[in-house]
């Protein structure tokens, strides 16, 4: 029971909010965080594509271990890991049930696990990559790859809106609770209470969107006043914006080490085939 | 001096609207002016200011006629971007104008958009000029309201425009920070030669800082005068619910033959003007005759702490013990970040005390859920939109009783009448005007029939008329519920509250009547509060205890004529 109490104390909306903000805005002093975002983007593309070219279990395991180590180095928030773990466990369980009822054997299960492993590698790689880039770096990297400025700005503005949206959402939920009534008896496994909360969480969504939408009217006008639409057609503006991106020794080192490790994993897979 | 802005016969109608917002506006503004634009609600102040930077007619393409010349060029021939080098615009909801994650990013946003190679220097210059360079690496969302406002001003200043327009600079700030903003603007005007235009209805600030006043009415410029002459057009002002500074009201109220040319506008003026007057002493005990009524809630050593982004625990409330009684009007004051909102959230169950606690009725603050506590306590959010969780005001009003399957229709009917909500019942709260929203949100709060009603900054960003209505409503509340109001509005404290609780860094540093608080200079000075002008004047004149309202001030003048007048 004590564990439940502790869990309830530390696992609440406030905590989720803090963890998400930390992921988005926390100080990026990790190894990956100091690299040029373009290098990380390319690394991510390669690592998440590689698993789809092979069915070799050793290579897949190797990739999974490699990406997990990098994710550990970037100190990913426990919330994100928790979410990933839930989805992986859920996925495996669901595969098991499907295979069991469809009368498949272990082989069928193994091939589905391979698919899951591939997806896991992709997710871990994306966690490692995106948790180590702040939104600004990400949007600059996108811009330098020639993606339209509207889109790359939307990415960084989305992050900027994140805390505002979350505050708004939390307050609307509280507003519902301040005038609502929780069920008297919580029922078997507290299902009545859980149902009550789920309904609030869904209903609170609409007022949040409306309130936020209303605020963005000023933002749109201010974008115009502050020269954003001008910058869309200005090469000079783009050059200035990206002037801080540089590939130096650290980046070359990262590229070399990564290529080496990836090659070794593939060689190992060649010799030990499962 | 040559005019930097000239409008002649400007008409404008927003696309899709049926009536003109601007109806032949003509004006000229000289370089280096500090101009206050005043006018009643819906008079077209904001629309007028949006013509100065070309948002009208270039961004809002409605029906437009007339000519706008800014700095020698015809605005209708320029793009909004080109104009932003000449005119900076800071919105009333300035938070939505900040669009980058950190302060430096945001301030360099505009110069960067225009591809200036020295964008960093420009941004740093703007930050330095406003004295906030220490904030440059902070995340925008971690800043306080005042800091955000300065960041928004820096963001437009970075382009070094000749003209700065600021819509309601102090609406959401405590008086201390409000003054600071104005002082910074004054520096920009005096030392950097900028033309500053503010939309403002706090005449005390106008008197202290502005050089000229412009009155807008029904889309026309009624007049533009130097500040003293402007504020003396009392009939014009009062008709539009704008009140002259309190010291001026006091001078007007006096039955003394007066020479209007040296009417006081600022406290310094008034000190000379009223110098040598004798005042009737008033027993400060007279306020205390009010007997203590039944206790409705008590707090014992209530503490609250929260985790910060860097994983540290920060104490927000530190061992607060107090009790509330039936029929009290309590004002909770202190600067931004003193813990007022956190305390109120502890009383609703939104924040759980980390140690200590207390109770209201049969519910405790430590254990009670929001839903249970809401039978006794009602909390009205600072932003009324947070209260609108249904698609019409009517459904919002009945939400509480319906979720409890009770029939409160006669009570709700009464609320609708006394808050004059008949016309907006079927509307979504978000579509109402500021004053209507505030009234509706209060009615929604009261619909739960609470013993303790809490309001967070109810007068912030309200125009004068709506503010007056709100105070009237608050005054009738005594019989219904005990009211606890967190506020920066010291005039509200002086004229409405029977009890003030001063908070400072999570602790209660004073608890007593408003009169006592204003009498103890060290209390409000330490807590960073600024008393209303009339209270400050009475203190300067040695009046003991200080008068809390203009009426009290004038009624306590003994026979005689002030030195300054004759």
């Amino acid at each position: 029971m004590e564990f439940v109490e502790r869990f309830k104390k530390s696992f609440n909306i406030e905590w989720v909010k803090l963890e998400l903000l930390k992921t988005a805005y926390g100080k990026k002093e990790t190894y990956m965080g100091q690299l040029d975002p373009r290098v990380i983007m390319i690394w991510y593309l390669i690592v998440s594509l590689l698993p789809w070219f092979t069915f070799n279990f050793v290579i897949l395991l190797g990739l999974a271990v490699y990406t997990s180590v990098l994710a550990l180095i970037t100190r990913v928030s426990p919330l994100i890991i928790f979410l990933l773990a839930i989805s992986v466990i859920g996925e495996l369980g669901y595969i098991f049930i499907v295979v069991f009822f469809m009368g498949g054997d272990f082989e069928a299960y193994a091939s589905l696990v391979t698919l899951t492993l591939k997806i896991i590698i992709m997710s871990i790689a994306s966690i490692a990559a995106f948790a180590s880039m702040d939104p600004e770096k990400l949007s600059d990297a996108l811009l330098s790859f020639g993606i339209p400025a509207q889109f790359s700005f939307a990415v960084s503005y989305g992050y900027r809106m994140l805390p505002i949206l979350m505050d708004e959402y939390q307050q609307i939920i509280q507003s519902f609770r301040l005038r609502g009534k929780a069920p008297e008896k919580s029922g078997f496994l507290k299902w009545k209470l859980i149902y009550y909360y789920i309904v609030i969480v869904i209903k609170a969504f609409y007022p949040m969107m409306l309130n936020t939408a209303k605020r963005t009217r000023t933002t749109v006008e201010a974008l115009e006043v502050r020269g954003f639409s001008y910058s869309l057609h200005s090469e000079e503006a783009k050059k200035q914006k990206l002037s801080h991106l540089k590939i130096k020794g650290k980046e070359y080192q990262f590229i070399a080490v990564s290529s080496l490790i990836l090659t070794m994993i593939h060689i190992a897979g060649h010799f030990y085939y499962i | 001096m040559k005019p930097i802005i000239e409008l002649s016969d400007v008409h404008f109608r927003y696309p899709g609207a049926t009536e003109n917002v601007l109806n032949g506006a003509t004006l000229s503004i000289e370089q280096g002016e500090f101009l206050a634009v005043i006018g009643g609600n819906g008079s077209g102040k904001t629309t007028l200011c949006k013509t100065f930077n070309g948002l009208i007619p270039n961004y809002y393409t409605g029906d437009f006629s007339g000519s706008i010349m800014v700095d020698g060029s015809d605005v209708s021939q320029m793009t909004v971007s080109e104009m932003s080098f000449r005119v900076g615009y800071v919105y009333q909801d300035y938070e939505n104008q900040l669009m980058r994650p950190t302060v430096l990013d945001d301030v360099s946003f505009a110069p960067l958009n225009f591809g200036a190679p020295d964008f960093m220097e420009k941004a740093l210059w703007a930050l330095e000029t406003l004295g906030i360079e220490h904030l440059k690496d902070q995340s925008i969302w971690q800043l306080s309201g005042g800091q955000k406002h300065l960041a928004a001003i820096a963001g437009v200043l970075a382009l070094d425009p000749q003209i700065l327009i600021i819509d309601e600079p102090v609406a959401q700030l405590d008086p201390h920070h409000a003054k600071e903003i104005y002082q910074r603007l004054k520096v920009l005007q005096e030392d950097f030669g900028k033309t500053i235009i503010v939309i403002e209805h706090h005449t005390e600030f106008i008197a202290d800082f502005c050089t000229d006043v412009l009155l807008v009415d029904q889309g026309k410029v009624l007049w533009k005068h130097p500040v003293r002459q402007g504020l003396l057009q009392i009939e014009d002002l009062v008709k539009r619910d704008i009140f002259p500074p309190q010291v001026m009201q006091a001078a007007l109220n006096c039955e003394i033959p007066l020479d209007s040319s040296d009417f006081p506008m600022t406290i310094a003026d008034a000190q000379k003007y009223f110098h040598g007057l004798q005042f009737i002493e008033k027993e400060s005990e007279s306020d205390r005759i009010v007997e203590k009524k039944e206790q409705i809630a008590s707090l014992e050593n209530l503490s609250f702490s929260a985790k910060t982004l860097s994983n540290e625990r920060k104490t927000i409330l530190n061992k607060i013990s107090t009790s509330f009684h039936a029929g009290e009007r309590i004002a909770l004051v202190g600067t931004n970040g003193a813990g007022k909102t956190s305390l109120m959230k502890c009383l609703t169950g939104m924040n759980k005390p980390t140690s200590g606690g207390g109770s209201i009725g049969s519910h405790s603050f430590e254990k009670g859920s929001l839903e249970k506590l809401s039978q006794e306590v009602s909390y009205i959010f600072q932003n009324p939109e947070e209260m609108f969780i249904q698609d019409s005001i009517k459904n919002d009003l009945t939400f509480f009783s319906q979720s409890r399957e009770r029939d409160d229709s006669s009570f709700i009917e009464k609320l609708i009448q006394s808050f004059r909500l008949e016309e907006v019942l079927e509307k979504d709260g978000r579509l109402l005007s500021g004053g209507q929203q505030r009234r509706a949100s209060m009615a929604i709060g009261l619909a739960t029939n609470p013993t303790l009603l809490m309001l967070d900054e109810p007068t912030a960003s309200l125009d004068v008329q709506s503010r007056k209505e709100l105070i009237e409503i608050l005054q009738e509340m005594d019989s219904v519920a005990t009211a606890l109001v967190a506020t920066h509005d010291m005039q509200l404290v002086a004229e409405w509250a029977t009890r003030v609780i001063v908070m400072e860094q999570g602790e209660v540093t004073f608890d007593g009547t408003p009169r006592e608080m204003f009498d103890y200079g060290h209390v409000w000075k330490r807590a960073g509060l600024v008393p209303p002008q009339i209270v400050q004047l009475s203190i300067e004149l040695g009046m003991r205890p200080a008068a809390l309202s203009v009426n009290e001030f004038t009624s306590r003048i003994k026979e005689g004529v002030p030195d300054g007048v004759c």
Side-chain angles (χ1 to χ4, degrees), chain B residues 114-175:
Chain B
F114 291 109
D118 56 343
F119 66 90
M120 215 31 102
E121 286 81 48
K122 285 188 168 162
L124 288 171
W125 171 80
L127 288 172
E128 215 173 292
T129 310
L130 291 171
I132 51 166
E133 63 269 48
H134 59 283
L135 296 177
K136 69 179 161 65
D137 295 321
Q138 296 253 359
S139 297
I140 291 284
W141 58 275
Q142 281 180 312
L143 302 182
S144 70
Q147 290 172 333
K148 274 185 196 160
H149 203 179
L150 283 171
I153 298 176
V156 299
L157 189 64
L159 288 175
D160 199 14
Q162 268 311 303
I163 303 161
L164 270 179
I165 305 170
I166 298 130
D167 196 344
E168 304 242 2
V170 300
Q172 299 178 42
L173 300 179
D174 63 72

Side-chain angles (χ1 to χ4, degrees), chain B residues 50-116:
Chain B
K50 282 184 180 168
T51 61
F52 301 160
N53 70 344
L55 275 173
I56 292 168
N58 297 325
Y59 180 78
Y60 290 105
T61 46
D63 293 346
F64 174 83
S65 69
S67 100
I68 312 165
M69 300 292 286
V70 172
D71 203 9
S73 357
D74 184 353
V75 170
S76 59
Q77 303 302 318
M78 314 263 291
T79 64
V80 175
S81 311
E82 283 171 312
M83 285 309 297
S84 57
F85 285 98
R86 307 184 187 192
V87 186
Y89 196 102
V90 181
Y91 289 83
Q92 188 180 357
D93 50 340
Y94 52 86
E95 278 163 324
N96 303 321
Q97 182 171 0
L98 303 166
M99 33 201 109
R100 307 284 288 174
T102 71
V103 173
L104 188 60
D105 276 338
D106 193 80
V107 176
S108 62
F109 183 65
L112 194 53
N113 279 333
F114 291 109

Side-chain angles (χ1 to χ4, degrees), chain B residues 194-370:
Chain B
K194 308 271 180 216
T195 308
I196 311 275
I197 300 170
V198 292
I199 300 177
E200 182 61 85
H201 54 247
H202 294 92
T203 44
E204 276 91 0
F205 284 112
I206 299 179
D208 280 345
F209 294 98
C210 297
T211 60
D212 295 83
V213 197
L214 181 148
L215 179 67
V216 185
D217 190 51
Q218 294 174 5
K220 278 197 189 75
V221 176
L222 217 60
W223 44 252
K224 177 170 171 271
H225 291 308
V227 66
R228 170 175 292 274
Q229 197 188 339
L231 290 180
L232 274 173
Q233 314 294 320
I234 290 154
E235 233 169 85
D236 282 347
L237 297 183
V238 172
K239 210 157 83 189
R240 289 160 189 89
D241 282 311
I242 301 162
F243 296 96
Q246 280 190 321
V247 293
M248 204 157 168
Q249 291 177 39
L252 285 165
N253 270 4
C254 287
E255 293 168 8
I256 304 166
L258 292 168
D259 176 8
S260 69
S261 68
D262 55 47
F263 258 18
M265 293 198 309
T266 62
I267 296 174
D269 289 353
Q271 244 175 292
K272 277 187 227 137
Y273 186 85
F274 291 106
H275 181 72
L277 276 189
Q278 298 293 311
F279 297 98
I280 301 164
E281 295 265 328
K282 191 175 178 182
E283 290 295 314
S284 56
E285 257 62 39
S286 62
D287 288 332
R288 289 204 158 173
I289 300 170
V290 188
E291 60 193 289
K292 289 252 167 172
K293 284 191 187 154
E294 170 203 4
Q295 175 174 318
I296 56 155
S298 68
L299 309 180
E300 263 166 61
N301 286 324
L302 185 141
S303 298
F304 174 68
S305 62
K307 260 193 183 164
T308 63
L309 207 58
S310 47
N311 251 339
E312 290 155 21
R313 280 217 156 261
K314 194 181 166 216
T315 306
I316 294 172
L317 297 174
N318 193 8
K319 293 193 176 159
I320 293 187
S321 301
T322 184
S323 59
F324 304 132
H325 302 86
E328 277 182 318
R329 303 168 170 185
I330 312 164
L332 192 57
V333 300
T335 48
N336 293 334
K340 304 186 298 279
T341 301
S342 299
L343 177 61
M344 299 212 289
K345 287 195 169 171
C346 274
L347 302 185
T348 59
M350 283 192 261
N351 289 343
K352 286 284 165 224
T354 24
S355 71
S359 62
I360 182 162
S362 57
H363 306 286
S364 85
F365 298 125
E366 308 95 283
K367 295 266 165 63
S369 66
L370 273 73

Side-chain angles (χ1 to χ4, degrees), chain B residues 481-496:
Chain B
T482 303
L484 176 67
V485 176
T487 187
H488 293 317
D489 186 339
M490 288 300 136
Q491 226 162 305
L492 176 72
V493 175
E495 290 168 19
W496 168 80

